[in-house]
PDB file of all heavy atoms in Angstrom:
ATOM      1  N   GLU W 531      32.499   4.455 -13.737  1.00 97.00           N
ATOM      2  CA  GLU W 531      33.503   5.205 -14.515  1.00 97.00           C
ATOM      3  C   GLU W 531      33.855   6.504 -13.796  1.00 97.00           C
ATOM      4  O   GLU W 531      35.014   6.872 -13.656  1.00 97.00           O
ATOM      5  CB  GLU W 531      32.966   5.524 -15.913  1.00 97.00           C
ATOM      6  CG  GLU W 531      33.172   4.374 -16.876  1.00 97.00           C
ATOM      7  CD  GLU W 531      32.320   4.516 -18.140  1.00 97.00           C
ATOM      8  OE1 GLU W 531      31.779   5.611 -18.386  1.00 97.00           O
ATOM      9  OE2 GLU W 531      32.205   3.494 -18.861  1.00 97.00           O
ATOM     10  N   ARG W 532      32.785   7.196 -13.348  1.00 97.00           N
ATOM     11  CA  ARG W 532      32.985   8.480 -12.701  1.00 97.00           C
ATOM     12  C   ARG W 532      33.774   8.340 -11.394  1.00 97.00           C
ATOM     13  O   ARG W 532      34.711   9.071 -11.149  1.00 97.00           O
ATOM     14  CB  ARG W 532      31.610   9.094 -12.420  1.00 97.00           C
ATOM     15  CG  ARG W 532      31.645  10.474 -11.912  1.00 97.00           C
ATOM     16  CD  ARG W 532      30.898  11.503 -12.768  1.00 97.00           C
ATOM     17  NE  ARG W 532      29.989  10.943 -13.766  1.00 97.00           N
ATOM     18  CZ  ARG W 532      28.855  11.524 -14.134  1.00 97.00           C
ATOM     19  NH1 ARG W 532      28.462  12.632 -13.542  1.00 97.00           N
ATOM     20  NH2 ARG W 532      28.124  10.984 -15.078  1.00 97.00           N
ATOM     21  N   LEU W 533      33.408   7.376 -10.578  1.00 98.00           N
ATOM     22  CA  LEU W 533      34.071   7.245  -9.266  1.00 98.00           C
ATOM     23  C   LEU W 533      35.468   6.636  -9.399  1.00 98.00           C
ATOM     24  O   LEU W 533      36.390   6.996  -8.672  1.00 98.00           O
ATOM     25  CB  LEU W 533      33.215   6.405  -8.308  1.00 98.00           C
ATOM     26  CG  LEU W 533      31.810   6.947  -8.022  1.00 98.00           C
ATOM     27  CD1 LEU W 533      31.082   6.046  -7.013  1.00 98.00           C
ATOM     28  CD2 LEU W 533      31.857   8.382  -7.479  1.00 98.00           C
ATOM     29  N   GLY W 534      35.584   5.716 -10.371  1.00 97.00           N
ATOM     30  CA  GLY W 534      36.883   5.063 -10.572  1.00 97.00           C
ATOM     31  C   GLY W 534      37.948   6.071 -10.987  1.00 97.00           C
ATOM     32  O   GLY W 534      39.155   5.826 -10.808  1.00 97.00           O
ATOM     33  N   ALA W 535      37.529   7.194 -11.544  1.00 97.00           N
ATOM     34  CA  ALA W 535      38.475   8.205 -12.008  1.00 97.00           C
ATOM     35  C   ALA W 535      38.989   9.074 -10.856  1.00 97.00           C
ATOM     36  O   ALA W 535      39.917   9.858 -11.032  1.00 97.00           O
ATOM     37  CB  ALA W 535      37.814   9.088 -13.067  1.00 97.00           C
ATOM     38  N   LEU W 536      38.365   8.939  -9.673  1.00 97.00           N
ATOM     39  CA  LEU W 536      38.803   9.773  -8.544  1.00 97.00           C
ATOM     40  C   LEU W 536      40.113   9.248  -7.973  1.00 97.00           C
ATOM     41  O   LEU W 536      40.347   8.039  -7.953  1.00 97.00           O
ATOM     42  CB  LEU W 536      37.744   9.761  -7.428  1.00 97.00           C
ATOM     43  CG  LEU W 536      36.390  10.394  -7.725  1.00 97.00           C
ATOM     44  CD1 LEU W 536      35.435  10.144  -6.560  1.00 97.00           C
ATOM     45  CD2 LEU W 536      36.527  11.892  -7.981  1.00 97.00           C
ATOM     46  N   ASP W 537      40.928  10.160  -7.475  1.00 96.00           N
ATOM     47  CA  ASP W 537      42.168   9.762  -6.812  1.00 96.00           C
ATOM     48  C   ASP W 537      41.843   9.029  -5.523  1.00 96.00           C
ATOM     49  O   ASP W 537      40.976   9.455  -4.762  1.00 96.00           O
ATOM     50  CB  ASP W 537      42.989  11.018  -6.442  1.00 96.00           C
ATOM     51  CG  ASP W 537      43.849  11.433  -7.602  1.00 96.00           C
ATOM     52  OD1 ASP W 537      43.977  10.631  -8.553  1.00 96.00           O
ATOM     53  OD2 ASP W 537      44.359  12.573  -7.570  1.00 96.00           O
ATOM     54  N   GLY W 538      42.533   7.953  -5.287  1.00 95.00           N
ATOM     55  CA  GLY W 538      42.319   7.240  -4.015  1.00 95.00           C
ATOM     56  C   GLY W 538      41.108   6.347  -4.031  1.00 95.00           C
ATOM     57  O   GLY W 538      40.675   5.886  -2.978  1.00 95.00           O
ATOM     58  N   VAL W 539      40.540   6.095  -5.204  1.00 98.00           N
ATOM     59  CA  VAL W 539      39.389   5.210  -5.308  1.00 98.00           C
ATOM     60  C   VAL W 539      39.692   4.111  -6.319  1.00 98.00           C
ATOM     61  O   VAL W 539      40.103   4.398  -7.437  1.00 98.00           O
ATOM     62  CB  VAL W 539      38.131   5.974  -5.782  1.00 98.00           C
ATOM     63  CG1 VAL W 539      36.968   5.022  -6.006  1.00 98.00           C
ATOM     64  CG2 VAL W 539      37.759   7.061  -4.781  1.00 98.00           C
ATOM     65  N   GLU W 540      39.483   2.872  -5.894  1.00 98.00           N
ATOM     66  CA  GLU W 540      39.713   1.750  -6.809  1.00 98.00           C
ATOM     67  C   GLU W 540      38.436   0.921  -6.888  1.00 98.00           C
ATOM     68  O   GLU W 540      37.801   0.638  -5.874  1.00 98.00           O
ATOM     69  CB  GLU W 540      40.851   0.897  -6.232  1.00 98.00           C
ATOM     70  CG  GLU W 540      41.193  -0.330  -7.043  1.00 98.00           C
ATOM     71  CD  GLU W 540      41.925  -1.379  -6.185  1.00 98.00           C
ATOM     72  OE1 GLU W 540      42.520  -0.990  -5.151  1.00 98.00           O
ATOM     73  OE2 GLU W 540      41.872  -2.563  -6.542  1.00 98.00           O
ATOM     74  N   ILE W 541      38.030   0.566  -8.099  1.00 98.00           N
ATOM     75  CA  ILE W 541      36.862  -0.307  -8.257  1.00 98.00           C
ATOM     76  C   ILE W 541      37.346  -1.750  -8.038  1.00 98.00           C
ATOM     77  O   ILE W 541      38.244  -2.209  -8.741  1.00 98.00           O
ATOM     78  CB  ILE W 541      36.254  -0.198  -9.661  1.00 98.00           C
ATOM     79  CG1 ILE W 541      35.997   1.266 -10.052  1.00 98.00           C
ATOM     80  CG2 ILE W 541      35.017  -1.070  -9.808  1.00 98.00           C
ATOM     81  CD1 ILE W 541      34.727   1.868  -9.549  1.00 98.00           C
ATOM     82  N   VAL W 542      36.739  -2.419  -7.099  1.00 97.00           N
ATOM     83  CA  VAL W 542      37.196  -3.777  -6.775  1.00 97.00           C
ATOM     84  C   VAL W 542      36.648  -4.800  -7.765  1.00 97.00           C
ATOM     85  O   VAL W 542      37.320  -5.768  -8.119  1.00 97.00           O
ATOM     86  CB  VAL W 542      36.762  -4.144  -5.337  1.00 97.00           C
ATOM     87  CG1 VAL W 542      37.139  -5.585  -5.000  1.00 97.00           C
ATOM     88  CG2 VAL W 542      37.391  -3.170  -4.335  1.00 97.00           C
ATOM     89  N   ASN W 543      35.423  -4.584  -8.241  1.00 96.00           N
ATOM     90  CA  ASN W 543      34.725  -5.614  -9.032  1.00 96.00           C
ATOM     91  C   ASN W 543      35.288  -5.782 -10.434  1.00 96.00           C
ATOM     92  O   ASN W 543      35.642  -4.795 -11.083  1.00 96.00           O
ATOM     93  CB  ASN W 543      33.262  -5.223  -9.217  1.00 96.00           C
ATOM     94  CG  ASN W 543      32.513  -5.138  -7.913  1.00 96.00           C
ATOM     95  OD1 ASN W 543      32.991  -4.500  -6.975  1.00 96.00           O
ATOM     96  ND2 ASN W 543      31.377  -5.778  -7.851  1.00 96.00           N
ATOM     97  N   ASP W 544      35.274  -7.022 -10.902  1.00 95.00           N
ATOM     98  CA  ASP W 544      35.425  -7.245 -12.339  1.00 95.00           C
ATOM     99  C   ASP W 544      34.051  -7.143 -12.998  1.00 95.00           C
ATOM    100  O   ASP W 544      33.879  -6.497 -14.013  1.00 95.00           O
ATOM    101  CB  ASP W 544      36.103  -8.592 -12.621  1.00 95.00           C
ATOM    102  CG  ASP W 544      35.485  -9.736 -11.818  1.00 95.00           C
ATOM    103  OD1 ASP W 544      34.618  -9.478 -10.945  1.00 95.00           O
ATOM    104  OD2 ASP W 544      35.870 -10.889 -12.065  1.00 95.00           O
ATOM    105  N   THR W 545      33.061  -7.745 -12.373  1.00 98.00           N
ATOM    106  CA  THR W 545      31.699  -7.681 -12.928  1.00 98.00           C
ATOM    107  C   THR W 545      30.752  -7.057 -11.906  1.00 98.00           C
ATOM    108  O   THR W 545      31.033  -7.049 -10.717  1.00 98.00           O
ATOM    109  CB  THR W 545      31.166  -9.103 -13.213  1.00 98.00           C
ATOM    110  OG1 THR W 545      31.216  -9.847 -11.988  1.00 98.00           O
ATOM    111  CG2 THR W 545      31.973  -9.806 -14.281  1.00 98.00           C
ATOM    112  N   PHE W 546      29.624  -6.530 -12.390  1.00 98.00           N
ATOM    113  CA  PHE W 546      28.576  -6.060 -11.490  1.00 98.00           C
ATOM    114  C   PHE W 546      27.298  -5.826 -12.267  1.00 98.00           C
ATOM    115  O   PHE W 546      27.304  -5.761 -13.501  1.00 98.00           O
ATOM    116  CB  PHE W 546      29.002  -4.788 -10.729  1.00 98.00           C
ATOM    117  CG  PHE W 546      29.363  -3.600 -11.602  1.00 98.00           C
ATOM    118  CD1 PHE W 546      28.389  -2.747 -12.100  1.00 98.00           C
ATOM    119  CD2 PHE W 546      30.705  -3.345 -11.903  1.00 98.00           C
ATOM    120  CE1 PHE W 546      28.739  -1.655 -12.887  1.00 98.00           C
ATOM    121  CE2 PHE W 546      31.055  -2.252 -12.701  1.00 98.00           C
ATOM    122  CZ  PHE W 546      30.069  -1.406 -13.197  1.00 98.00           C
ATOM    123  N   PHE W 547      26.192  -5.668 -11.517  1.00 98.00           N
ATOM    124  CA  PHE W 547      24.906  -5.305 -12.127  1.00 98.00           C
ATOM    125  C   PHE W 547      24.607  -3.835 -11.817  1.00 98.00           C
ATOM    126  O   PHE W 547      24.880  -2.963 -12.632  1.00 98.00           O
ATOM    127  CB  PHE W 547      23.785  -6.238 -11.646  1.00 98.00           C
ATOM    128  CG  PHE W 547      22.422  -5.741 -12.036  1.00 98.00           C
ATOM    129  CD1 PHE W 547      22.070  -5.616 -13.382  1.00 98.00           C
ATOM    130  CD2 PHE W 547      21.482  -5.356 -11.078  1.00 98.00           C
ATOM    131  CE1 PHE W 547      20.822  -5.108 -13.758  1.00 98.00           C
ATOM    132  CE2 PHE W 547      20.241  -4.862 -11.441  1.00 98.00           C
ATOM    133  CZ  PHE W 547      19.912  -4.735 -12.787  1.00 98.00           C
ATOM    134  N   ASN W 548      24.049  -3.530 -10.663  1.00 98.00           N
ATOM    135  CA  ASN W 548      23.797  -2.109 -10.336  1.00 98.00           C
ATOM    136  C   ASN W 548      24.477  -1.677  -9.049  1.00 98.00           C
ATOM    137  O   ASN W 548      24.131  -0.658  -8.466  1.00 98.00           O
ATOM    138  CB  ASN W 548      22.296  -1.787 -10.278  1.00 98.00           C
ATOM    139  CG  ASN W 548      21.600  -2.436  -9.089  1.00 98.00           C
ATOM    140  OD1 ASN W 548      22.190  -3.253  -8.382  1.00 98.00           O
ATOM    141  ND2 ASN W 548      20.342  -2.082  -8.855  1.00 98.00           N
ATOM    142  N   GLU W 549      25.441  -2.464  -8.625  1.00 98.00           N
ATOM    143  CA  GLU W 549      26.090  -2.198  -7.333  1.00 98.00           C
ATOM    144  C   GLU W 549      27.512  -2.714  -7.413  1.00 98.00           C
ATOM    145  O   GLU W 549      27.758  -3.772  -8.000  1.00 98.00           O
ATOM    146  CB  GLU W 549      25.309  -2.972  -6.270  1.00 98.00           C
ATOM    147  CG  GLU W 549      25.691  -2.692  -4.865  1.00 98.00           C
ATOM    148  CD  GLU W 549      24.681  -3.312  -3.892  1.00 98.00           C
ATOM    149  OE1 GLU W 549      24.089  -4.370  -4.219  1.00 98.00           O
ATOM    150  OE2 GLU W 549      24.495  -2.758  -2.832  1.00 98.00           O
ATOM    151  N   PHE W 550      28.442  -1.974  -6.834  1.00 98.00           N
ATOM    152  CA  PHE W 550      29.840  -2.415  -6.894  1.00 98.00           C
ATOM    153  C   PHE W 550      30.568  -1.925  -5.658  1.00 98.00           C
ATOM    154  O   PHE W 550      30.051  -1.104  -4.891  1.00 98.00           O
ATOM    155  CB  PHE W 550      30.519  -1.909  -8.171  1.00 98.00           C
ATOM    156  CG  PHE W 550      30.326  -0.440  -8.410  1.00 98.00           C
ATOM    157  CD1 PHE W 550      31.149   0.501  -7.806  1.00 98.00           C
ATOM    158  CD2 PHE W 550      29.281   0.015  -9.234  1.00 98.00           C
ATOM    159  CE1 PHE W 550      30.956   1.856  -8.011  1.00 98.00           C
ATOM    160  CE2 PHE W 550      29.077   1.374  -9.447  1.00 98.00           C
ATOM    161  CZ  PHE W 550      29.915   2.304  -8.827  1.00 98.00           C
ATOM    162  N   THR W 551      31.774  -2.426  -5.472  1.00 98.00           N
ATOM    163  CA  THR W 551      32.547  -2.130  -4.272  1.00 98.00           C
ATOM    164  C   THR W 551      33.751  -1.267  -4.621  1.00 98.00           C
ATOM    165  O   THR W 551      34.440  -1.535  -5.612  1.00 98.00           O
ATOM    166  CB  THR W 551      33.000  -3.454  -3.615  1.00 98.00           C
ATOM    167  OG1 THR W 551      31.828  -4.198  -3.292  1.00 98.00           O
ATOM    168  CG2 THR W 551      33.813  -3.211  -2.359  1.00 98.00           C
ATOM    169  N   LEU W 552      33.973  -0.249  -3.803  1.00 98.00           N
ATOM    170  CA  LEU W 552      35.127   0.628  -3.971  1.00 98.00           C
ATOM    171  C   LEU W 552      36.123   0.355  -2.843  1.00 98.00           C
ATOM    172  O   LEU W 552      35.715   0.134  -1.703  1.00 98.00           O
ATOM    173  CB  LEU W 552      34.704   2.101  -3.871  1.00 98.00           C
ATOM    174  CG  LEU W 552      33.612   2.605  -4.807  1.00 98.00           C
ATOM    175  CD1 LEU W 552      33.311   4.074  -4.500  1.00 98.00           C
ATOM    176  CD2 LEU W 552      34.055   2.447  -6.256  1.00 98.00           C
ATOM    177  N   ARG W 553      37.394   0.402  -3.168  1.00 98.00           N
ATOM    178  CA  ARG W 553      38.413   0.404  -2.103  1.00 98.00           C
ATOM    179  C   ARG W 553      38.907   1.832  -1.985  1.00 98.00           C
ATOM    180  O   ARG W 553      39.378   2.427  -2.959  1.00 98.00           O
ATOM    181  CB  ARG W 553      39.551  -0.557  -2.409  1.00 98.00           C
ATOM    182  CG  ARG W 553      40.606  -0.560  -1.285  1.00 98.00           C
ATOM    183  CD  ARG W 553      41.684  -1.624  -1.465  1.00 98.00           C
ATOM    184  NE  ARG W 553      41.192  -2.948  -1.136  1.00 98.00           N
ATOM    185  CZ  ARG W 553      41.021  -3.930  -2.005  1.00 98.00           C
ATOM    186  NH1 ARG W 553      41.305  -3.747  -3.270  1.00 98.00           N
ATOM    187  NH2 ARG W 553      40.576  -5.112  -1.618  1.00 98.00           N
ATOM    188  N   LEU W 554      38.776   2.386  -0.787  1.00 98.00           N
ATOM    189  CA  LEU W 554      39.146   3.781  -0.561  1.00 98.00           C
ATOM    190  C   LEU W 554      40.482   3.847   0.168  1.00 98.00           C
ATOM    191  O   LEU W 554      40.964   2.844   0.702  1.00 98.00           O
ATOM    192  CB  LEU W 554      38.061   4.472   0.292  1.00 98.00           C
ATOM    193  CG  LEU W 554      36.622   4.313  -0.193  1.00 98.00           C
ATOM    194  CD1 LEU W 554      35.652   5.003   0.770  1.00 98.00           C
ATOM    195  CD2 LEU W 554      36.451   4.904  -1.600  1.00 98.00           C
ATOM    196  N   GLY W 555      41.017   5.046   0.226  1.00 96.00           N
ATOM    197  CA  GLY W 555      42.300   5.230   0.902  1.00 96.00           C
ATOM    198  C   GLY W 555      42.180   5.307   2.415  1.00 96.00           C
ATOM    199  O   GLY W 555      43.171   5.349   3.131  1.00 96.00           O
ATOM    200  N   ARG W 556      40.959   5.338   2.918  1.00 96.00           N
ATOM    201  CA  ARG W 556      40.754   5.420   4.378  1.00 96.00           C
ATOM    202  C   ARG W 556      39.464   4.685   4.755  1.00 96.00           C
ATOM    203  O   ARG W 556      38.690   4.311   3.872  1.00 96.00           O
ATOM    204  CB  ARG W 556      40.706   6.876   4.833  1.00 96.00           C
ATOM    205  CG  ARG W 556      39.733   7.747   4.058  1.00 96.00           C
ATOM    206  CD  ARG W 556      39.751   9.178   4.567  1.00 96.00           C
ATOM    207  NE  ARG W 556      39.122   9.280   5.874  1.00 96.00           N
ATOM    208  CZ  ARG W 556      38.283  10.253   6.235  1.00 96.00           C
ATOM    209  NH1 ARG W 556      37.960  11.215   5.371  1.00 96.00           N
ATOM    210  NH2 ARG W 556      37.761  10.278   7.434  1.00 96.00           N
ATOM    211  N   PRO W 557      39.218   4.466   6.039  1.00 98.00           N
ATOM    212  CA  PRO W 557      38.032   3.683   6.428  1.00 98.00           C
ATOM    213  C   PRO W 557      36.727   4.252   5.858  1.00 98.00           C
ATOM    214  O   PRO W 557      36.464   5.454   5.946  1.00 98.00           O
ATOM    215  CB  PRO W 557      38.052   3.761   7.954  1.00 98.00           C
ATOM    216  CG  PRO W 557      39.500   3.897   8.292  1.00 98.00           C
ATOM    217  CD  PRO W 557      40.075   4.763   7.199  1.00 98.00           C
ATOM    218  N   ALA W 558      35.937   3.352   5.294  1.00 98.00           N
ATOM    219  CA  ALA W 558      34.742   3.774   4.566  1.00 98.00           C
ATOM    220  C   ALA W 558      33.666   4.357   5.489  1.00 98.00           C
ATOM    221  O   ALA W 558      32.905   5.235   5.081  1.00 98.00           O
ATOM    222  CB  ALA W 558      34.177   2.598   3.777  1.00 98.00           C
ATOM    223  N   ALA W 559      33.600   3.876   6.724  1.00 98.00           N
ATOM    224  CA  ALA W 559      32.543   4.364   7.626  1.00 98.00           C
ATOM    225  C   ALA W 559      32.685   5.868   7.843  1.00 98.00           C
ATOM    226  O   ALA W 559      31.685   6.603   7.817  1.00 98.00           O
ATOM    227  CB  ALA W 559      32.599   3.617   8.958  1.00 98.00           C
ATOM    228  N   ALA W 560      33.895   6.324   8.042  1.00 98.00           N
ATOM    229  CA  ALA W 560      34.118   7.758   8.271  1.00 98.00           C
ATOM    230  C   ALA W 560      33.806   8.543   7.006  1.00 98.00           C
ATOM    231  O   ALA W 560      33.260   9.659   7.070  1.00 98.00           O
ATOM    232  CB  ALA W 560      35.556   7.993   8.708  1.00 98.00           C
ATOM    233  N   VAL W 561      34.107   7.968   5.874  1.00 98.00           N
ATOM    234  CA  VAL W 561      33.830   8.654   4.598  1.00 98.00           C
ATOM    235  C   VAL W 561      32.322   8.802   4.405  1.00 98.00           C
ATOM    236  O   VAL W 561      31.824   9.865   4.016  1.00 98.00           O
ATOM    237  CB  VAL W 561      34.459   7.859   3.422  1.00 98.00           C
ATOM    238  CG1 VAL W 561      34.018   8.432   2.084  1.00 98.00           C
ATOM    239  CG2 VAL W 561      35.981   7.856   3.548  1.00 98.00           C
ATOM    240  N   VAL W 562      31.589   7.738   4.701  1.00 98.00           N
ATOM    241  CA  VAL W 562      30.128   7.778   4.555  1.00 98.00           C
ATOM    242  C   VAL W 562      29.533   8.820   5.501  1.00 98.00           C
ATOM    243  O   VAL W 562      28.640   9.584   5.135  1.00 98.00           O
ATOM    244  CB  VAL W 562      29.529   6.385   4.817  1.00 98.00           C
ATOM    245  CG1 VAL W 562      28.015   6.458   5.013  1.00 98.00           C
ATOM    246  CG2 VAL W 562      29.863   5.456   3.657  1.00 98.00           C
ATOM    247  N   GLU W 563      30.034   8.851   6.708  1.00 97.00           N
ATOM    248  CA  GLU W 563      29.569   9.829   7.701  1.00 97.00           C
ATOM    249  C   GLU W 563      29.842  11.252   7.205  1.00 97.00           C
ATOM    250  O   GLU W 563      28.979  12.129   7.267  1.00 97.00           O
ATOM    251  CB  GLU W 563      30.282   9.565   9.034  1.00 97.00           C
ATOM    252  CG  GLU W 563      29.561  10.056  10.271  1.00 97.00           C
ATOM    253  CD  GLU W 563      28.193   9.422  10.461  1.00 97.00           C
ATOM    254  OE1 GLU W 563      28.098   8.179  10.533  1.00 97.00           O
ATOM    255  OE2 GLU W 563      27.222  10.193  10.509  1.00 97.00           O
TER     256      GLU W 563
END
Side-chain angles (χ1 to χ4, degrees):
Chain W
E531 276 165 14
R532 187 121 15 147
L533 300 182
L536 294 174
D537 274 348
V539 175
E540 178 201 337
I541 309 277
V542 176
N543 297 49
D544 47 353
T545 57
F546 59 84
F547 169 63
N548 69 351
E549 188 169 31
F550 50 84
T551 300
L552 304 178
R553 181 173 284 113
L554 309 178
R556 52 180 288 223
V561 172
V562 166
E563 204 60 57

